[in-house]
Amino acid sequence: MRLLVVGSVALDSVRTPFGEVKNALGGSAVYAAYSASFFTSVDLVGVAGEDFPSEYLKLLKERSIDLTGLQIKKGKTFSWSGEYASNLNQCQTLSTCLNLFKSFRPEVPPKYSDDKFAFLGNIDPELQLMVYRQLKNPHLLAADSMNFWIERKKKQLVNLLKYIDLFLLNDGETRDFSNEYNLRKAAKYVLSLGPKIFVVKKGEHGVIAFLKNGSFFSLPAYPLKIIADPTGAGDVFGGALMGYLARCPKLNKTSIYQGIIWGSIMASYNVEAFSLNRLLTLKDKDLKKRYQEFKKIGGRSSSVEHQLPKLDRRVQFPSPAPN
Ligand code: AMP
């Protein structure tokens, strides 16, 4: 099934100990859509200015991402700049220029309104809600957010969560959002607001997923030899997870677990280079290789190995995205 992705389309300027980029392709919708396109067909809703380079649009089109819902307006594209010091798990935002996002009203084109799966990427929660309201009958709705919105629009985010099935935050954001340091207690709070699944992204420490029925599971991150730029890892993770779930016949603990593995694999590749550069050259054989390596992380007798579901044949050759 097709996946609708909404979020920011951005020009990012990022500095890490390993280099820097200026006005690079970025944004939560871009990272999530690009990643999801390895698993399913993607419809994108967002806004960009006339300054948004046409070669960036070409990269999205090359992955068959439908851009009917991307408004190109007179004005400046959303831009963000951030810096990572030696602790690559922590990003310092240097500037966030909402630009066209200030007046953006998302419009879901009629041909997307039947989409059953949606990823409401990191963006103003009021805009996320507007997208939700335009969907006819969503089966699985995921949302992501970040400190910028938690600090400014917590009430609106809490309201959005009533309609969300799967919510994602990183560990720092989880603690800020819930005012609770203990992640299990924080998850209990988040799940009481509406979501059935809450996924806490912990960067190089992996992921913990909490389910409404009280169960939870965790997955370590792949220990990388090269990390150039962690920007977008969370969005890439969320896009792959939802892209994978959109093509699964059933939503259950196994499919969520497997989606989390694919999310972690895609995110691990993304951080190897700046912007989307590593994903641009990603091949099926790379995905298969890391899947096998992922299985080894926990060792033969570990519960990870034991729980790891068989590689879904349809995902073994994930590109181009099927209909
Ligand atoms: P992540 O590293 O997963 O948190 O995502 C970073 C991406 O989010 C960058 O490409 C930014 O352009 C985008 N971003 C940063 N701040 C915001 C914001 N306040 N609203 C929407 N997108 C943002």
Side-chain angles (χ1 to χ4, degrees):
M1 296 224 189
R2 298 188 74 87
L3 174 72
L4 183 145
V5 174
V6 63
S8 52
V9 173
L11 297 174
D12 284 349
S13 298
V14 180
R15 195 180 314 141
T16 82
F18 308 102
E20 73 178 301
V21 286
K22 288 206 171 24
N23 293 323
L25 176 61
S28 54
V30 168
Y31 277 111
Y34 201 91
S35 171
S37 73
F38 283 79
F39 301 91
T40 196
S41 311
V42 181
D43 296 328
L44 189 142
V45 171
V47 65
E50 284 169 340
D51 58 345
F52 195 70
S54 56
E55 62 266 29
Y56 290 175
L57 291 175
K58 194 166 159 251
L59 293 174
L60 300 175
K61 286 182 193 151
E62 276 168 7
R63 291 240 30 113
S64 304
I65 296 168
D66 190 301
L67 299 181
T68 314
L70 177 65
Q71 303 172 27
I72 306 286
K73 297 245 175 187
K74 213 171 177 171
K76 286 179 104 179
T77 300
F78 171 87
S79 69
W80 173 81
S81 71
E83 182 170 9
Y84 295 82
S86 52
N87 177 357
L88 288 169
N89 254 4
Q90 254 172 13
C91 178
Q92 195 198 346
T93 291
L94 301 175
S95 71
T96 302
C97 302
L98 294 176
N99 298 332
L100 278 165
F101 258 117
K102 281 192 208 143
S103 55
F104 173 55
R105 292 289 164 267
E107 279 170 32
V108 175
K111 68 171 176 170
Y112 296 180
S113 64
D114 275 325
D115 287 359
K116 303 282 180 260
F117 291 79
F119 180 70
L120 310 178
N122 172 32
I123 194 179
D124 184 332
E126 291 187 86
L127 300 180
Q128 291 174 311
L129 188 65
M130 281 182 204
V131 170
Y132 161 73
R133 292 207 190 284
Q134 294 174 59
L135 294 175
K136 281 193 194 142
N137 180 23
H139 286 184
L140 185 70
L141 208 59
D144 190 9
S145 197
M146 73 178 290
N147 281 351
F148 187 88
W149 303 114
I150 293 169
E151 283 158 21
R152 290 163 179 79
K153 300 237 171 158
K154 172 145 184 206
K155 218 174 82 194
Q156 291 86 340
L157 187 53
V158 167
N159 179 48
L160 174 79
L161 291 188
K162 285 192 243 161
Y163 312 102
I164 297 302
D165 303 298
L166 192 160
F167 188 45
L168 305 112
L169 286 179
N170 72 30
D171 45 351
E173 292 155 357
T174 300
R175 291 180 170 119
D176 289 346
F177 180 66
S178 62
N179 285 319
E180 176 61 67
Y181 188 82
N182 181 300
L183 289 181
R184 275 191 83 174
K185 288 185 183 164
K188 196 172 169 201
Y189 165 72
V190 169
L191 293 170
S192 76
L193 299 174
K196 298 173 195 72
I197 308 157
F198 177 46
V199 179
V200 183
K201 302 167 285 181
K202 297 174 71 200
E204 64 174 334
H205 305 298
V207 175
I208 309 183
F210 297 91
L211 309 186
K212 202 147 198 156
N213 65 11
S215 66
F216 59 90
F217 53 87
S218 63
L219 186 77
Y222 180 77
L224 288 163
K225 286 189 194 142
I226 314 160
I227 305 179
D229 172 20
T231 308
D235 307 310
V236 165
F237 173 89
L241 167 61
M242 283 303 288
Y244 176 76
L245 291 177
R247 62 182 299 166
C248 278
K250 275 194 195 142
L251 178 69
N252 53 30
K253 202 172 161 184
T254 305
S255 56
I256 296 167
Y257 190 81
Q258 188 138 351
I260 285 176
I261 293 171
W262 284 112
S264 305
I265 290 170
M266 293 299 288
S268 73
Y269 275 117
N270 183 61
V271 304
E272 288 184 354
F274 280 81
S275 182
L276 280 93
N277 291 335
R278 183 62 184 95
L279 298 193
L280 299 184
T281 59
L282 199 62
K283 301 276 182 305
D284 294 341
K285 67 173 174 28
D286 301 320
L287 292 176
K288 279 194 268 177
K289 183 166 171 253
R290 191 146 294 169
Y291 186 90
Q292 294 308 326
E293 288 168 336
F294 233 91
K295 279 174 52 172
K296 289 186 207 144
I297 291 177
R300 276 176 166 270
S301 60
S302 81
S303 57
V304 170
E305 175 82 8
H306 176 70
Q307 284 179 48
L308 197 71
K310 277 210 166 71
L311 181 60
D312 184 335
R313 291 208 132 267
R314 289 165 310 167
V315 187
Q316 228 167 344
F317 303 98
S319 59
N323 259 314

